[in-house]
C-alpha cells in the first residue's frame, strides 16, 4: 500500500505512458520510466521512516558516540564540568595518546571491579527472587476465571503506573528502625529490639524485587495465557502427576516468557541508581550509583563516561538475548 | 490438584499484599497527625494543607506537568510513526538498526541515557549554540526519546493484531495511503495511542535520573524535589503528595480499564451481530 505514494491521477497517466511506450516497441524506455516512478513513489514512505529514524539517531545513537569519545579523552579533572567539548576533541593526537587511561583506571581501581561484580550479583539475585514470586502469580492469573483475570492483571499494572520513586520511598517508612515492620514484629513478640533493615543489602534486594516484579509477571502471564490446556489434559489423562506435568510440560513451554521477564528485570536492575541510593547503605557498591557519584560528586566526566561504556558492555549480552528471544517469539506468533 | 491451587492462591495473596502494603501504608500515614510518620496520633489532613503552601513542590509539579504533557503529545506522534514503520514496512535499508534504536531505550539504564544526552547537549551548545543552558527544553527532548520507544512498541503490537485486509480493501477501492492511514488505521489503533500517551505522560512525570542529568538551574522537576527531600528522611508532606498521585493514577487506570472493557464488549457484540446478519 505504501508504494502508491502519489496521486491516483498521476499514476493513471504514467501507466498509460508506459503502455504507449511498450506498444511503440520502446520497452527499455518503459522499464526506465517504471523505475523512476518507483523511486518517486518511495519518497513518501522514506519520509515516514526518516522522521523517527532521525530523532533516534540524533538523540539516542549520536550521544553514545559522544560518550565513547569523552571516555577516550583525557581525564579533565581540573576542568570545570561545563568545559566545551572541542577542547578535548580538538587535539586528536593527544586523545589517542592518553585515551585508554580512564579504562585503565577502572581496571586498576578495585572499587570499580567490586561495584561491577556487586551490581551483577544484586541484579541476578533480584531476578531469581522476582521469578520465584512472579511465576506463581502469573500462573495463577492465567488460570483464573476470565472475569477475575482482567482485574488481577490491572492490579499488577497499577503499581507500575504509580511513581517509582514514591514506591521506593514507601519502603523507608516500613523498614526503618521505628518503622512499620519493626513495630509489627515487636508487637508480635518475635523480636525485642528493632532489627536494622534500612540501609542494608536486604533493603536493596527488597526494593528491586518490589519495583520490578510487574516486569516479570506481565511477560510470563502473556506466555502462560497462550498455553494450550489440552496438552495438560493429555498429560493428566496419561497418568502424569500435577508436579511432573508442570515440570515437563508447562515449565519448558514457558521458557520464552521466563527469558523475557528475567531480562526485563536484570538489565535495568544492573544500572539501578534510585533504589541503592534510598534504601542501601552509603557504601553500597552499585555501578549506577558509582556513575552518578563520579559525575555529580567528583565531576569527572571522562571517568563517568568510561563507567557508562563499561556498564553498556556488560549489558550487551543480556540485551542481545532479549532481542533474539523477542524476534523468535514474534516469528512464532506470525 | 486441590493442594496446588491452594499454593497458587496463597502465592497470589502474598504477591498482591507485597505489591500493595507499601502503597496503602503511604496513604494511611498521610492522614496522620504526628510528624513522626510511623507513630499514629490521630486523623488529620494538615499535611495536605501544608503541601498546598509549599511553593517549591507546587512549582516543581507545574514544571513536571508541562513537560509531561508536551512529552506525551510529541512522543505519541513520533512513536506512532515508529510503530507503524516497524509493523508495516518489512524491508528497508537500516531496518535492523532502526529496530534496535526503538527497543534499546526501553532497557537502557537511565544513568547511561541521562549522561549521554547531557554530553550531547553540551556538545551541541558549544558547536551550534543551542540549547543555551539546560532546562525545560532539554528535559522534554530527553523524555520524548525514551517515551517514543514505549509508544512505538504499544502501537506496533496493536498494528500486528489488526486485520490488514481492511486497509487492503480501501487500497483496492482507490484510497490513497495517507487517507487510509487517517480514515482507517488511526481510528482502529486509537486505544493504543491513548494508552501510549498516558504511559508517556506518567513515565515523564516519574523520571528522576534522566531529568537530573539534563536539567539546569531553576528547572527542578517534581521527582527531583521529592528525591532531595526523601534523602533526608520520611516526610508526611511527601506522603500526602504520594497519596494524591496514587489516587489520580488509580482513577485514571480504572476509567481506562472500564472504557476498554466496554469498547471490547461493544466490538464483540458488533462482530456477533455481523455474523448473525450473514
Amino acid at each position: 500500500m505504501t508504494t502508491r505514494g502519489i496521486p491516483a491521477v498521476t499514476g493513471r497517466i504514467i501507466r498509460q505512458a508506459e503502455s504507449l511506450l511498450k506498444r511503440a516497441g520502446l520497452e527499455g524506455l518503459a522499464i526506465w520510466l517504471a523505475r523512476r516512478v518507483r523511486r518517486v513513489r518511495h519518497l513518501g514512505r522514506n519520509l515516514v521512516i526518516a522522521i523517527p529514524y532521525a530523532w533516534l539517531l540524533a538523540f539516542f545513537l549520536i550521544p553514545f558516540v559522544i560518550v565513547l569519545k569523552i571516555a577516550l579523552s583525557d581525564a579533565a579533572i581540573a576542568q570545570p564540568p561545563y568545559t566545551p567539548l572541542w577542547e578535548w576533541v580538538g587535539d586528536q593526537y593527544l586523545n589517542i595518546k592518553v585515551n585508554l587511561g580512564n579504562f585503565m583506571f577502572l581496571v586498576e581501581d578495585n572499587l570499580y571491579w567490586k561495584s561491577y561484580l556487586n551490581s551483577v550479583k544484586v541484579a541476578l539475585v533480584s531476578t531469581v527472587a522476582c521469578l520465584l514470586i512472579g511465576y506463581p502469580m502469573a500462573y495463577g492469573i492465567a488460570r483464573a476465571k476470565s472475569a477475575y483475570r482482567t482485574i488481577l492483571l490491572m492490579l499488577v499494572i497499577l503499581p507500575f503506573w504509580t511513581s517509582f520513586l514514591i514506591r521506593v520511598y514507601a519502603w523507608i517508612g516500613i523498614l526503618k528502625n521505628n518503622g512499620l515492620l519493626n513495630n509489627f514484629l515487636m508487637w508480635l513478640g518475635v523480636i525485642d529490639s528493632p532489627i536494622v533493615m534500612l540501609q542494608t543489602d536486604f533493603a536493596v534486594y527488597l526494593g528491586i524485587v518490589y519495583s520490578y516484579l510487574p516486569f516479570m509477571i506481565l511477560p510470563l502471564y502473556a506466555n502462560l495465557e497462550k498455553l494450550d490446556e489440552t496438552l495438560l489434559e493429555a498429560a493428566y489423562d496419561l497418568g502424569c502427576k500435577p508436579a511432573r506435568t508442570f515440570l515437563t510440560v508447562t515449565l519448558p513451554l514457558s521458557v520464552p516468557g521466563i527469558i523475557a521477564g528475567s531480562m526485563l528485570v536484570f538489565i535495568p536492575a544492573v544500572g539501578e541508581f534510585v533504589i541503592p541510593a534510598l534504601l542501601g547503605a552509603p557504601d553500597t557498591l552499585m555501578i549506577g550509583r558509582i556513575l552518578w557519584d563520579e559525575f555529580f560528586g567528583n565531576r569527572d566526566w571522562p571517568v563517568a563516561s568510561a563507567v557508562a561504556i563499561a556498564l553498556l558492555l556488560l549489558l550487551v549480552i543480556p540485551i542481545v538475548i532479549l532481542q533474539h528471544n523477542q524476534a523468535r517469539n514474534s516469528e512464532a506468533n506470525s | 490438584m486441590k493442594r496446588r491451587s491452594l499454593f497458587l492462591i496463597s502465592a497470589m495473596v502474598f504477591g498482591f499484599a507485597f505489591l500493595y502494603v507499601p502503597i496503602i501504608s503511604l496513604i494511611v500515614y498521610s492522614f496522620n497527625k504526628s510528624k513522626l510518620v510511623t507513630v499514629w496520633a490521630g486523623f488529620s489532613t494538615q499535611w495536605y494543607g501544608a503541601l498546598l503552601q509549599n511553593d517549591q513542590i507546587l512549582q516543581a509539579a507545574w514544571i513536571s506537568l508541562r513537560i509531561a504533557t508536551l512529552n506525551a503529545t510529541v512522543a505519541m506522534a513520533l512513536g506512532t510513526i515508529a510503530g507503524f514503520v516497524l509493523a508495516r514496512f518489512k524491508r528497508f535499508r537500516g531496518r535492523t538498526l532502526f529496530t534496535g534504536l526503538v527497543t534499546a531505550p526501553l532497557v537502557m539504564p537511565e544513568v547511561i541515557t541521562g549522561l549521554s544526552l547531557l554530553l550531547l547537549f553540551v556538545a551541541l551548545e558549544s558547536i551550534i549554540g543551542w540549547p543555551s543552558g539546560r532546562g525545560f527544553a532539554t528535559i522534554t527532548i530527553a523524555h520524548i526519546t525514551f517515551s517514543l520507544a514505549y509508544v512505538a512498541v504499544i502501537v506496533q503490537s496493536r498494528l500486528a493484531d489488526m486485520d490488514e485486509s481492511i486497509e487492503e480493501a480501501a487500497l483496492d477501492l482507490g484510497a490513497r495511503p495517507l487517507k487510509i492511514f487517517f480514515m482507517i488505521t488511526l481510528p482502529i489503533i486509537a486505544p493504543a495511542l491513548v494508552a501510549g500517551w498516558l504511559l508517556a505522560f506518567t513515565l515523564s512525570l516519574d523520571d528522576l535520573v534522566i531529568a537530573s542529568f539534563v536539567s539546569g538551574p531553576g528547572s527542578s522537576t517534581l521527582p527531583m524535589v521529592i528525591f532531595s527531600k526523601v534523602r533526608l528522611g520520611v516526610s508526611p508532606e511527601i506522603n500526602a503528595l504520594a497519596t494524591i498521585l496514587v489516587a489520580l493514577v488509580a482513577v485514571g487506570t480504572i476509567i481506562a480499564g472500564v472504557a476498554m472493557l466496554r469498547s471490547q464488549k461493544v466490538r464483540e457484540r458488533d462482530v456477533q451481530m455481523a455474523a448473525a446478519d450473514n
Side-chain angles (χ1 to χ4, degrees), chain A residues 118 122 199-201 204 276 279-286 289-290:
Chain A
N118 197 47
V122 169
Q199 304 208 328
T200 60
D201 280 356
V204 176
L279 300 179
D283 58 344
T284 304
L285 293 172
M286 291 277 291
R289 203 172 169 191
I290 298 280

Side-chain angles (χ1 to χ4, degrees), chain B residues 102-169:
Chain B
V102 170
T103 44
L106 301 178
V107 287
M108 194 57 64
E110 290 165 318
V111 280
I112 298 185
T113 314
L115 176 72
S116 65
L117 275 164
L118 171 66
L119 295 178
L120 171 82
F121 291 136
V122 171
L124 276 179
E125 192 180 355
S126 75
I127 296 168
I128 61 169
W130 180 91
S132 56
R134 284 168 296 283
F136 189 88
T138 50
I139 300 173
T140 311
I141 290 174
H143 283 180
I144 290 169
T145 306
F146 73 82
S147 307
L148 181 173
Y150 283 88
V151 178
V153 170
I154 295 175
V155 169
Q156 184 197 4
S157 68
R158 185 76 189 87
L159 280 170
D161 291 341
M162 182 184 152
D163 188 358
E164 265 185 79
S165 62
I166 307 171
E167 289 172 342
E168 278 158 18

Side-chain angles (χ1 to χ4, degrees), chain A residues 223-237:
Chain A
N223 177 280
L224 287 168
E225 193 225 87
K226 282 185 303 202
L227 187 78
D228 189 353
E229 277 192 60
T230 54
L231 292 175
L232 301 182
E233 279 162 25
Y236 293 139
D237 285 349

Side-chain angles (χ1 to χ4, degrees), chain A residues 78-95:
Chain A
Q79 309 257 21
Y82 298 125
T83 318
L85 201 64
W86 55 266
E87 283 195 14
W88 304 331
V89 183
D91 197 343
Q92 289 290 342
Y93 296 105
L94 185 72
N95 277 350

